Amino acid sequence: MNKYILDLKVSSVERLNDKYVLLKLTDENPLPEMLPGQFVQVRIDNNSHVMLRRPISIHFVDKVRNELWLLVAMIGDGTRQLGKLCEGDILNCVLPLGNGFTMPTQQERILLIGGGVGVAPLLYYGYQLKECGIEPTFLLGARSSADLLELDAFKSVGRLFVTTEDGSMGEKGFVTNHSLLTKETFDRIATCGPKPMMVSVGRVACEKGVPCEVSLENMMACGVGACLCCVEKTVKGNVCVCTEGPVFPLEKLTW
């Protein structure tokens, strides 16, 4: 796919809580085609401490409103700067980058498992599945109910189940402890979130003999395979996550 460097206009800023902000970006021209699981590299302006772009997953693409949604976790200087953006501001983005999730060619039962900000790429994936006539099932995990994000958006796309470590919403525990995994069977699993969570999900998928794709969140700087800081070891050697991923079939990883 072609890559673009675009100055996108902030059309909306929604602060979901003290940690997360939802940015909606638009352009005077139609946005380029983007696939679920791909990401963008955003430039951080007006901050002398941040020299490199920041990778942000594509959360959703609203083709009717010509908007790109980015779900941002404000955890460092760069992402906290993004949280200060206001409607009408300009955000320079390189997009779309990386490879996305597999789109099925037939009817399948697909489970999408996310944790923390790792839920971000799953919304657009679920939406695309729904457009193909497949109702996705979401299983989202967080430390507490306050950390669960965009629940109404996920409910509008598919079935939703949640876990929280403190039991404040859904079933108490981790996503791999949820009763859904013993009550129902699935043809495919896709997951994104903290690595320990994805490793556990991958283990469950292997035990059940279910194909699984994982979206890695390795540290990235360039987004085009030049800096080598996002290298991941695979069964065929080291590869750059930004160009070969971020989505990988589980069997290609050495977990």
Side-chain angles (χ1 to χ4, degrees):
M1 297 179 67
N2 292 332
K3 300 176 179 61
Y4 303 85
I5 302 177
L6 300 176
D7 284 325
L8 300 181
K9 183 178 180 180
V10 178
S11 58
S12 174
V13 179
E14 182 179 351
R15 288 172 175 82
L16 305 179
N17 54 37
D18 61 347
K19 298 179 183 177
Y20 297 95
V21 63
L22 176 63
L23 301 177
K24 297 182 180 180
L25 311 174
T26 190
D27 192 44
E28 59 184 13
N29 298 312
L31 292 170
E33 186 70 22
M34 289 173 266
L35 303 176
Q38 292 185 306
F39 66 98
V40 306
Q41 288 278 113
V42 302
R43 191 179 69 202
I44 309 299
D45 294 327
N46 305 315
N47 191 323
S48 60
H49 300 290
V50 181
M51 305 301 293
L52 301 173
R53 290 178 180 265
R54 293 295 187 265
I56 307 291
S57 295
I58 294 170
H59 183 41
F60 190 71
V61 180
D62 187 333
K63 294 184 179 180
V64 175
R65 298 177 62 88
N66 197 41
E67 287 182 335
L68 164 64
W69 297 11
L70 301 180
L71 182 60
V72 181
M74 298 178 288
I75 56 177
D77 286 345
T79 48
R80 283 195 292 267
Q81 185 80 15
L82 293 177
K84 297 177 182 178
L85 290 171
C86 300
E87 184 177 335
D89 286 344
I90 298 299
L91 185 62
N92 183 270
C93 301
V94 181
L95 75 164
L97 298 171
N99 297 305
F101 293 105
T102 298
M103 293 302 297
T105 57
Q106 60 187 10
Q107 287 293 315
E108 293 182 336
R109 290 174 54 82
I110 301 181
L111 176 62
L112 312 183
I113 303 179
V117 77
V119 304
L122 300 183
L123 180 62
Y124 191 39
Y125 187 29
Y127 175 80
Q128 293 283 50
L129 291 173
K130 184 179 180 181
E131 290 288 286
C132 293
I134 296 174
E135 181 185 35
T137 299
F138 298 102
L139 175 54
L140 309 181
R143 292 180 179 177
S144 71
S145 59
D147 299 310
L148 289 167
L149 306 170
E150 296 280 280
L151 296 186
D152 288 341
F154 285 103
K155 288 178 183 177
S156 71
V157 172
R159 298 192 304 156
L160 175 63
F161 299 85
V162 300
T163 66
T164 49
E165 293 178 30
D166 64 0
S168 55
M169 183 177 289
E171 294 188 12
K172 185 176 182 178
F174 302 116
V175 289
T176 48
N177 304 133
H178 199 284
S179 60
L180 177 70
L181 296 175
T182 58
K183 292 179 179 178
E184 299 188 22
T185 58
F186 295 92
D187 301 307
R188 186 185 302 274
I189 295 174
T191 185
C192 184
K195 185 174 181 178
M197 184 209 79
M198 291 194 291
V199 170
S200 295
V201 170
R203 186 177 299 116
V204 171
C206 286
E207 291 172 355
K208 295 180 177 295
V210 179
C212 180
E213 289 185 322
V214 298
S215 179
L216 301 185
E217 296 183 318
N218 294 32
M219 186 72 70
M220 298 181 190
C222 70
V224 293
C227 67
L228 304 181
C229 72
C230 66
V231 166
E232 178 77 16
K233 186 177 181 180
T234 73
V235 295
K236 293 186 177 181
N238 293 337
V239 300
C240 290
V241 170
C242 65
T243 54
E244 301 301 316
V247 179
F248 291 89
L250 179 64
E251 64 270 17
K252 289 189 176 182
L253 302 175
T254 58
W255 295 356

